Amino acid sequence: MKQMHSQAPSLRVALIGHSFMGTIHAQAWQSAPRFFELGLKPEVAVVCGRNDDAASVFATKFDIPQVENDWRKVVADPSVDVVDICTPGHLHSPIALAALAAGKHVLCEKPLSNSLGEAEEMTAAAEAAQERGIQSMVGYSYRRTPALAHARQLVSEGKIGRIFHIRAVYLQDWIVDEEFPLVWRLQREHAGSGALGDIGAHVVDLAQYLTGHHITGVSALTETFVKTRPLVASSDGLSATASDERGSVTVDDAAVFIARTDKGALATFEASRFATGRKNALRIEINGARGSLAFDFESMNELWVQDNTGSRASSGFSRILVTEPEHPYMDAWWPAGHGLGYEHTFVHEIADFVRNIAAGTQPSPSFRDGLAIQRVLAAVEASAQANAVWTATNYEF
Ligand SMILES: NC(=O)c1ccc[n+]([C@@H]2O[C@H](COP(=O)([O-])OP(=O)(O)OC[C@H]3O[C@@H](n4cnc5c(N)ncnc54)[C@H](O)[C@@H]3O)[C@@H](O)[C@H]2O)c1
């Protein structure tokens, strides 16, 4: 394990939102400097939420000195260096634009925004701020799963060769119950889209990130299986209780689409919250001329690799347990075989973000990378509305 570093200058972080992502980010901000050499010492100095009592309970739990209920005040605070946006999607754009204008580094949860127009504006603001030494990054956290970071290395080293197929699904089942309440994720004005933007966005990001290909066009179908649900009485993270009134679900419950890439591969995608029995099955398989890769987040420490260059008699898929110190991020953690969990991907995300701030370099994924994903999401929605018409993403990167 690496040594700790107490003399690094501090980096004061404001966390906006303190539920599911707020909690995992708070933990990551605290863990990252304990396990990684960062060059700066981050501390969450402020937490902001809508409800003072809930935010105060959170602040006590994570030893955060200041609680606020107005994000505008937090973003304007001259003592804040970083704004970490862990709110629903409709607030990403206003908070990020205000924070960048105020000279704060910004970590914004995915998807970057609820619309293409917002994403374009955010990207322009981030790139202007970058010229003043202000960094920004989107929270596509699964990139920091060691097995997927290792998969990217294998692809970029040419081990998979020319890529023919990308096959990606992200499957959950937490709203199969028709009486599950109408949480913000099921409302277009808050979430932008449904399974598509919430979980489909992750596999679009991974498909492009792992292969270096970009999606140039799609043909898509989306469906809302349950059209009305009880309004929310109370909610916390992904759980909620129902009231007696009902309202309309205004986003997709599932999205399926096919795609072409700029380097000539065919890709298939599926994002669903109705895949009964699948809890967080983010799965991706890549088939190339020299071999294949396969990954399932429900076994996140494993990467399956097939080498197609040897004898056919011994060319099956092999399981790599991605826990050796030679694997990405793993030299900071436990002895080989003592696996990591979901929360570690966020520790890696924060560590990479802070190292880039310390070095004055652009972290990845940038807002422009986030915009590229929004173009795909927008094309999927347009194609689905036109009932699976082929729709270009207007790829221009
Ligand atoms: N990287 C990932 O894998 C991942 C996983 C889950 C969610 N997300 C993303 O993270 C974001 C938040 O999702 P979540 O699951 O944490 O949601 P959540 O409902 O659990 O939490 C949302 C938080 O935002 C706060 N909030 C809402 N309006 C606010 C306001 N006006 N001012 C201040 N705070 C406000 C709420 O109080 C709450 O604390 C979303 O963009 C989501 O897509 C990313």
Side-chain angles (χ1 to χ4, degrees):
M1 256 176 266
K2 298 253 173 78
Q3 292 301 305
M4 287 176 52
H5 357 272
S6 46
Q7 297 92 336
S10 75
L11 188 72
R12 288 170 57 83
V13 179
L15 189 62
I16 321 277
H18 53 78
S19 192
F20 180 20
M21 282 303 107
T23 304
I24 208 158
H25 281 225
Q27 187 196 16
W29 283 111
Q30 294 182 346
S31 291
R34 299 191 171 115
F35 289 89
F36 292 90
E37 181 72 57
L38 302 181
L40 290 167
K41 191 169 189 318
E43 50 183 290
V44 182
V46 191
V47 60
C48 176
R50 290 166 301 178
N51 176 308
D52 284 331
D53 290 342
S56 297
V57 168
F58 182 89
T60 303
K61 206 190 293 182
F62 284 94
D63 208 13
I64 300 169
Q66 192 180 339
V67 173
E68 298 291 347
N69 58 24
D70 180 357
W71 63 261
R72 288 175 187 81
K73 184 175 169 199
V74 173
V75 162
D77 180 343
S79 73
V80 166
D81 302 307
V82 173
V83 173
D84 181 4
I85 305 170
C86 293
T87 61
H90 69 288
L91 290 168
H92 290 187
S93 171
I95 299 175
L97 291 175
L100 289 167
K104 318 296 183 192
H105 307 291
V106 175
L107 174 58
C108 181
E109 259 305 343
K110 50 52 61 181
L112 181 59
S113 64
N114 279 3
S115 75
L116 199 48
E118 285 175 340
E120 281 165 349
E121 198 182 352
M122 292 165 82
T123 301
E127 291 180 351
Q130 223 270 338
E131 287 177 16
R132 307 192 305 272
I134 304 301
Q135 311 303 340
S136 45
M137 177 170 142
V138 199
Y140 281 104
S141 47
Y142 287 106
R143 287 182 176 207
R144 269 79 190 190
T145 308
L148 288 171
H150 185 55
R152 175 170 155 104
Q153 276 180 8
L154 294 178
V155 173
S156 55
E157 287 164 6
K159 298 269 168 39
I160 304 306
R162 177 185 167 192
I163 291 169
F164 304 120
H165 290 291
I166 304 166
R167 205 165 292 111
V169 303
Y170 195 156
L171 308 175
Q172 300 181 337
D173 72 352
W174 59 284
I175 56 169
V176 167
D177 177 357
E178 298 196 5
E179 296 307 307
F180 184 86
L182 190 63
V183 293
W184 69 262
R185 279 182 163 79
L186 308 183
Q187 299 167 22
R188 179 166 290 275
E189 68 270 30
H190 293 121
S193 66
L196 174 63
D198 190 20
I199 53 180
H202 276 297
V203 278
V204 169
D205 177 53
L206 288 173
Q208 299 191 130
Y209 172 70
L210 296 179
T211 62
H213 290 216
H214 279 92
I215 293 166
T216 55
V218 300
S219 182
L221 294 172
T222 59
E223 184 55 70
T224 304
F225 301 118
V226 176
K227 311 283 190 216
T228 70
R229 290 179 178 273
L231 298 184
V232 171
S234 68
S235 73
D236 183 22
L238 295 184
S239 6
T241 57
S243 73
D244 294 334
E245 285 178 74
R246 296 186 79 85
S248 295
V249 176
T250 47
V251 297
D252 59 281
D253 285 333
V256 295
F257 54 103
I258 56 174
R260 285 187 186 279
T261 75
D262 58 337
K263 294 180 186 151
L266 294 182
T268 62
F269 295 89
E270 184 181 2
S272 178
R273 295 162 168 163
F274 280 70
T276 320
R278 303 294 178 205
K279 301 301 166 185
N280 204 44
L282 183 164
R283 298 171 175 182
I284 187 157
E285 181 167 308
I286 299 167
N287 307 126
R290 295 172 63 82
S292 289
L293 295 172
F295 171 83
D296 180 347
F297 193 80
E298 289 186 347
S299 303
M300 64 169 281
N301 291 287
E302 300 174 5
L303 180 68
W304 292 83
V305 180
Q306 189 257 357
D307 178 357
N308 204 43
T309 60
S311 85
R312 293 182 78 84
S314 57
S315 74
F317 278 86
S318 310
R319 186 189 70 136
I320 301 178
L321 193 57
V322 188
T323 58
E324 300 292 339
E326 292 80 8
H327 288 131
Y329 304 106
M330 290 308 301
D331 64 342
W333 296 107
W334 321 121
H338 298 65
L340 301 191
Y342 179 63
E343 70 275 21
H344 293 87
T345 64
F346 293 87
V347 180
H348 303 160
E349 175 176 289
I350 298 290
D352 288 339
F353 182 53
V354 176
R355 284 166 166 164
N356 277 281
I357 292 173
T361 49
Q362 170 66 61
S364 172
S366 65
F367 278 20
R368 182 162 290 278
D369 296 327
L371 169 61
I373 296 160
Q374 299 299 144
R375 288 193 198 287
V376 179
L377 303 183
V380 167
E381 291 212 297
S383 169
Q385 271 162 22
N387 213 7
V389 167
W390 184 261
T391 308
T393 56
N394 300 318
Y395 164 73
E396 56 178 41
F397 296 94

